[in-house]
Amino acid sequence: MNASELISLDAAELARRIHAREVSSVDVTRAHLERIEAVDGPAESGVHAFLHLDAEGALAAAEAADRAIAEGAPASPLAGVPIALKDNLTTTDMPTTAASRILEGWRPPYDATVVSRLRAAGLVPLGKTNLDEFAMGSSTENSAFGPSRNPWDLTRIPGGSGGGSSSAVAAGESPLALGSDTGGSIRQPGAVTGTVGVKPTYGTVSRYGLIAFSSSLDQIGPCARSVLDAALLHEVIGGADPRDQTSVSAPLPPVVEAAQAGARGDLAGVRVGVVTEFSGEGYQPGVLGAFTDAVRVLGELGAEVVEVSCPSFGYALPAYYLIAPSEASSNLARFDAMRYGLRVGDDGEHAADEVMSLTREAGFGAEVKRRIMIGTHALSAGSYDALYGKAQKARTLIVRDFTAAFETCDVLISPTTPTTAFPIGERADDPLAMYLADLCTIPSNLAGNAALSVPCGLSADDGLPVGLQIMAPALADDRAYRVAAAYEVARGDTGPRIPELRALETTR
Ligand code: GLN
C-alpha cells in the first residue's frame, strides 16, 4: 500500500489494517510524517498545522504498538493510529506553548489525562498543533508563531482556535487530532475544513492538563474525518477522572455504538429541531443552501423536523465575551514570570512586580491582553453586577431555552458557522467580526451540553466546506453521534476527503 493511500484512510480503517497486520503502525506513522514533511512547511506558505513534531517519539510509540499487536494484545481499537495534539495539552516529552511567547520552550512535568489515556490506548502522538494564543480566537491568526492555513484554500483560515488540529486532519497529516472547545474551537475549525469536530458534554472529558482558558466552558474533544473515528477517539479520552474536580461520574454515553447504529439505520422517530435564530442576516447564502439540503436529507431519513425558537440565544455572544474573559483574567494570573517560561527584566535592577509586568507585556499578544483587560473590568467591584452578573443571568436564560427545546426535540441543529472560511487577514484587525464566527457554537458551551459539527457539503457560492451543527442534551452525546452518522451516510460523497493542496501562488 502506498503512502498517499495510507494518509487518506479513516482511523477505523487504518486500525483494522494495522490490527490485521496488513500494514504496520510504523509504516502508517512514516507515511504521515512524510506527508507533514511535504505540506506543513514553510510557515509562510505551507499548512503550518504543527508547532512541534516528534518523529522519533512517534516511531518508537508505533513500534511498541506493533509489538503489542504481534503478541495479540492491541491496547485499544485505535492502537497504532497516529494523532496530533493541540498545543494547549501538556505533554512530558514535547514542549507545550499554547502558542504564546510566555510559554515558549516550556516542558511540562506531567501529561494531561487525555494524553496519558491516548498513550495507554496505544495511539501514536505525532506532535503538537498550532492554535490561537491560549485558545483565544477563531482563525489561528492570534498564534505567536504565525497562522495555520486551510488545506481547501491556503489563503484562508482553517478556523480557530484549533486551526492546527483541523488543518492537520483535513490535509491528511494526521487521521485524528485533539482540540479544546471553549466557544467553538473544535466545531468551527471542523466546519471550515470539512472535518468532524465534537464538543462532548462538559465534565465528561478530563480537563486535567489542559491549559485553562475559561474553566466553566473549556472542553477537550475529538477531531476526525468521520463520525465513527470521532466516536472511537471520544471513548478513549472520556470518562471520570479524580484529578479534575469538575469531572462527571456518570458513565460515558455509548457514542461508538450510536455512531455504528446511525450509519446502519434511519432516523425514524427522531425529533430534530431547527433553531430559527440561526439564519437570516449575516449568514452566507451558500451556507444556508447547504444547511437546507441537510435538513431535507434528515427528513428523508425519517426524522421529524420542526422549527424551534430559542429567543435567549441572541445573548450568548455578549454573555460569552464577558464570562470567558473574566475567567481568563483569573486563569492567566499564573503566568507571572516566577513559575513558567519567559522572564524579562530579571537583571537585579527590577523589583519582582516589575519583572512580572515586563514579562507579561512582552509575553502576551494583543488579543490575550484585550481579554485580560475586559475580564478584569467585568469583575471589578464597580462593574460586577452590571457586566459579569448580567452575563451569568443571560447564561441561565440560555440553559432554560435548551431545556425547553429538548422537551420537544431530541436534537437541535443549525449551521455550525455563519460563513465559510474567510481570507487570512480579513478579520484580523476587527475583533468583533472575528467573534461572530462562534455565534452558533457558543450556546452549547454556556449550557454545557453536547454538540458536534459534521461536514455538510460545499457552499455553492465559493466551493468551500460547510458544517452542520448537531446539539444534544447533556450526557446524551450519543444522540448527536447517531444523527451525524446517519446523515454522513445519507449525504453521500461530496468530493475528495483530502483536498488537493495547491501552492499559494496559484490560489492567490
Ligand atoms: N473563538 C472563541 C474565542 O475566541 C472560542 C475559542 C475557543 O473555543 N477556545 O474565545
Side-chain angles (χ1 to χ4, degrees):
M1 204 176 315
N2 65 37
S4 70
E5 207 182 323
L6 286 177
I7 61 151
S8 65
L9 294 176
D10 289 348
E13 178 60 15
L14 280 174
R16 191 191 66 73
R17 296 189 192 193
I18 294 170
H19 297 189
R21 302 182 68 193
E22 290 166 22
V23 63
S24 70
S25 172
V26 167
D27 285 343
V28 169
T29 302
R30 267 212 192 96
H32 285 94
L33 290 169
E34 280 163 19
R35 175 68 173 171
I36 294 168
E37 179 77 20
V39 304
D40 206 58
E44 307 71 50
S45 57
V47 176
H48 193 225
F50 285 89
L51 292 180
H52 181 84
L53 258 191
D54 182 16
E56 217 174 286
L59 289 168
E63 268 170 40
D66 283 333
R67 266 197 309 277
I69 290 158
E71 287 161 11
S76 78
L78 288 177
V81 177
I83 185 162
L85 307 172
K86 190 174 180 180
D87 200 27
N88 57 354
L89 298 167
T90 57
T91 44
T92 50
D93 52 356
M94 292 183 263
T96 299
T97 66
S100 181
R101 294 272 173 218
I102 213 159
L103 276 178
E104 203 169 356
W106 180 54
R107 291 268 178 169
Y110 64 99
D111 276 333
T113 293
V114 292
V115 175
S116 313
R117 288 187 181 176
L118 292 178
R119 296 195 205 275
L123 280 99
V124 176
L126 296 169
K128 306 296 288 288
T129 57
N130 200 10
L131 64 153
D132 288 292
E133 185 175 4
F134 287 106
M136 297 175 185
S138 302
S139 67
T140 74
E141 291 166 291
N142 295 333
S143 167
F145 308 112
S148 301
R149 295 171 187 281
N150 192 320
W152 290 83
D153 176 346
L154 293 169
T155 67
R156 292 181 186 253
I157 60 107
S161 61
S165 286
S166 66
S167 58
V169 171
E173 296 177 66
S174 180
L176 297 171
L178 285 186
S180 66
D181 192 310
T182 305
S185 285
I186 296 174
R187 289 163 286 160
Q188 182 257 8
V192 301
T193 59
T195 56
V196 177
V198 182
K199 185 201 87 71
T201 297
Y202 182 80
T204 58
V205 177
S206 171
R207 292 184 297 107
Y208 180 77
L210 168 66
I211 294 180
F213 164 11
S214 180
S215 310
S216 77
L217 303 166
D218 298 341
Q219 192 59 75
I220 299 170
C223 313
R225 289 193 297 266
S226 81
V227 175
L228 177 62
D229 283 4
L232 288 163
L233 180 54
H234 193 141
E235 290 199 355
V236 168
I237 60 172
D241 178 17
R243 290 181 156 135
D244 174 356
Q245 293 173 42
T246 58
S247 176
V248 167
S249 58
L252 205 66
V255 293
V256 170
E257 206 182 292
Q260 287 165 337
R264 278 193 310 266
D266 60 20
L267 293 176
V270 177
R271 297 163 305 169
V272 174
V274 177
V275 179
T276 54
E277 278 73 14
F278 290 151
S279 66
E281 208 192 323
Y283 286 76
Q284 188 177 321
V287 168
L288 292 177
F291 177 70
T292 305
D293 285 346
V295 172
R296 182 182 43 76
V297 171
L298 293 173
E300 287 165 7
L301 280 164
E304 188 189 310
V305 184
V306 295
E307 293 201 338
V308 280
S309 172
C310 296
S312 299
F313 281 15
Y315 304 130
L317 199 69
Y320 173 89
Y321 277 101
L322 290 168
I323 293 169
S326 295
E327 294 186 17
S329 70
S330 164
N331 274 324
L332 269 54
R334 63 170 64 90
F335 302 102
D336 59 1
M338 301 295 132
R339 287 172 275 200
Y340 314 89
L342 191 70
R343 180 179 289 196
V344 176
D346 184 12
D347 51 12
E349 304 285 313
H350 295 95
D353 60 334
E354 290 171 325
V355 173
M356 286 178 194
S357 72
L358 286 168
T359 302
R360 287 166 70 85
E361 165 61 26
F364 287 142
E367 182 65 19
V368 174
K369 288 176 183 157
R370 181 178 299 124
R371 305 245 181 150
I372 292 172
M373 287 194 294
I374 294 172
T376 311
H377 178 67
L379 292 175
S380 64
S383 308
Y384 186 94
D385 289 339
L387 297 178
Y388 182 78
K390 267 261 172 58
Q392 290 292 15
K393 286 181 185 161
R395 187 175 191 173
T396 303
L397 294 177
I398 290 157
V399 172
R400 287 187 192 155
D401 275 3
F402 269 118
T403 308
F406 286 133
E407 272 166 21
T408 56
C409 301
D410 298 303
V411 296
L412 300 178
I413 60 168
S414 74
T416 308
T417 57
T419 70
T420 56
F422 44 89
I424 291 175
E426 190 184 82
R427 302 190 191 176
D429 299 323
D430 186 352
L432 293 180
M434 188 71 85
Y435 296 170
L436 285 175
D438 297 306
L439 201 57
C440 313
T441 48
I442 282 174
S444 290
N445 297 86
L446 291 170
N449 61 299
L452 59 76
S453 179
V454 60
C456 89
L458 304 179
S459 166
D461 39 31
D462 57 16
L464 292 168
V466 176
L468 167 67
Q469 178 174 230
I470 305 173
M471 296 164 270
L475 293 173
D477 308 46
D478 50 325
R479 281 190 210 169
Y481 275 99
R482 177 180 163 205
V483 174
Y487 170 72
E488 184 180 50
V489 172
R491 178 199 67 207
D493 201 2
T494 53
R497 300 295 285 290
I498 296 176
E500 199 183 316
L501 296 181
R502 277 169 298 158
L504 265 191
E505 303 73 64
T506 60
T507 52
R508 261 197 191 125

